[in-house]
Amino acid sequence: MGKNETKNYTVLNNEVYGITMRANISNLTNNIEMFFTQKDLVGNASCSSWDGKGNLTWTTSGCKTVKMNNNTINCSCSHLTFFAVLMSPPDVNPNITAQYVESLSFISSIGCGISMFFLSVALFMHFLLRKAKSNQATKILINMFVALFLLNLSFLSNESIANTEDKAACVFIALLMHYSMLTTFTWFFIQALHMYLWLIRQNVTITNYMRKITVFGWTFTAPMVIAVVSIGGYKAVIINATSGKTSRMCWITEPLIHYIVNIGYYALVFIFTAGIFIMIVTKIVQARRIRATDGKRKTFRKQLMMVLSLFLLFGLTWAVAFFSYGQMLIPSYYIFTVLNSFQDIEGNLSDDPEKSGSTTTIVQSRDNAVENVYNEPN
């Protein structure tokens, strides 16, 4: 059979066992046991199967690999099809994250589940109780909540859909997760832009302000997703753990696409949001220096909480992904997983741009915006 698509593996002894009954046999109560032998096995072995259709794409789903000794590999599989042992040299692309897969998956699942719960509560309260009273800042926040909800939902359902091995469903869930992630980045950008117009700039008039940013927020990244799906960039990815368990996820299989579309796009968003964050924090520090001594401690606490909220609101925690290299690879994975899977944003803005018909005038409030941090001489 030769090498598989990734060209990182070889088929042990060039042997493939075919076990079929002209029917789709899966989820067997008693697994099929197969033994592959070779003198002095060198490398990492994985029992894999192929459905015999289309491209030669191996999967470890439904098979367990047990290395009995230096000569024998036991493959225990719960379905019937074509089987082989794929060998990868120990010095080629070692998967150093395999031992952390289960713990990271557990943290992600729990965190995303908690996030979905609170996002659902926030969306429920908004649409049923406070929609008519919502201002522009609240509407922007709600759009971000919807994007985050879709991202968590698609992530939690991804593995289940991937395990069905339905290619169309796999492409759809990968597309939905990718689109919701990029859209979330866009709403981080819009949050920072809105804060900049509201707190930094003065007397900026924008016609159909909310309509424009809403359309921009939900459509800007659509061409990126369409381009990826048009070149077949979404496929099932096999994730192996050291315990022998395997999981499937539908995602981008080409690293170049990931770096350009995901890392590249977020890098641009991060530069802008980080710049706005620094500007706002600078203003807070300057305002605090000229305040009277009375009440300074209470004001500082409120300002500190606002700064931490802005850090989440602008999605700056996603920047941890920039450090996922070398010695920081595993620590950054845990930090990234905890911070972003438990991401819960609270917005309680006390002021908002003045609205008049279809035209919005962005004005700098000097009464109650952000705890009066701008109450300083011009």
Side-chain angles (χ1 to χ4, degrees), residues 49-215:
S49 62
W50 172 52
D51 60 10
K53 302 176 183 178
N55 296 328
L56 183 57
T57 304
W58 295 104
T59 175
T60 57
S61 177
C63 288
K64 293 182 180 179
T65 304
V66 179
K67 189 173 182 179
M68 303 185 68
N69 50 52
N70 290 332
N71 301 322
T72 306
I73 298 294
N74 171 226
C75 294
S76 179
C77 301
S78 61
H79 60 282
L80 301 184
T81 184
F82 298 96
F83 303 95
V85 174
L86 303 184
M87 301 296 297
S88 60
D91 58 340
V92 176
N93 296 331
N95 186 6
I96 63 174
T97 61
Q99 58 183 313
Y100 306 102
V101 167
E102 293 186 60
S103 58
L104 288 171
S105 298
F106 178 77
I107 295 173
S108 296
S109 298
I110 296 298
C112 289
I114 294 174
S115 293
M116 281 190 64
F117 172 77
F118 286 106
L119 288 170
S120 300
V121 171
L123 293 172
F124 175 82
M125 293 178 64
H126 171 75
F127 287 109
L128 292 185
L129 303 177
R130 303 190 59 175
K131 184 177 180 180
K133 300 178 181 179
S134 61
N135 54 25
Q136 291 177 343
T138 303
K139 290 176 181 177
I140 293 173
L141 196 64
I142 290 300
N143 276 279
M144 181 189 293
F145 281 175
V146 173
L148 283 169
F149 183 86
L150 290 175
L151 178 58
N152 285 300
L153 177 63
S154 57
F155 176 80
L156 291 176
S157 58
N158 194 305
E159 184 176 358
S160 299
I161 294 177
N163 287 334
T164 65
E165 300 189 20
D166 186 322
K167 292 184 179 180
C170 186
V171 170
F172 173 77
I173 196 65
L175 183 151
L176 178 62
M177 189 167 74
H178 192 206
Y179 169 75
S180 57
M181 184 186 74
L182 294 178
T183 301
T184 299
F185 293 165
T186 304
W187 283 105
F188 289 155
F189 168 82
I190 292 175
Q191 282 281 5
L193 177 64
H194 181 75
M195 198 73 70
Y196 170 76
L197 295 175
W198 176 31
L199 299 177
I200 309 298
R201 293 288 299 275
Q202 299 184 45
N203 300 323
V204 180
T205 301
I206 302 176
T207 304
N208 297 321
Y209 175 70
M210 275 306 303
R211 183 180 301 176
K212 288 180 179 178
I213 62 174
T214 301
V215 172

Side-chain angles (χ1 to χ4, degrees), residues 26-42:
S26 60
N27 298 321
L28 295 172
T29 303
N30 298 318
N31 286 1
I32 302 295
E33 304 289 337
M34 293 164 284
F35 297 90
F36 295 78
T37 60
Q38 186 188 57
K39 185 178 180 180
D40 297 327
L41 289 170
V42 178

Side-chain angles (χ1 to χ4, degrees), residues 275-318:
I276 300 302
F277 178 79
I278 293 172
M279 292 173 64
I280 294 175
V281 172
T282 301
K283 287 288 186 179
I284 292 175
V285 172
Q286 291 175 349
R288 183 170 178 266
R289 287 176 179 175
I290 64 173
R291 283 182 177 276
T293 305
D294 296 339
K296 181 182 291 186
R297 182 176 300 177
K298 181 179 179 181
T299 301
F300 175 72
R301 288 201 206 100
K302 291 184 177 180
Q303 291 173 349
L304 178 61
M305 292 303 298
M306 190 200 72
V307 168
L308 294 176
S309 298
L310 286 177
F311 196 79
L312 291 174
L313 197 68
F314 291 173
L316 298 178
T317 54
W318 287 73

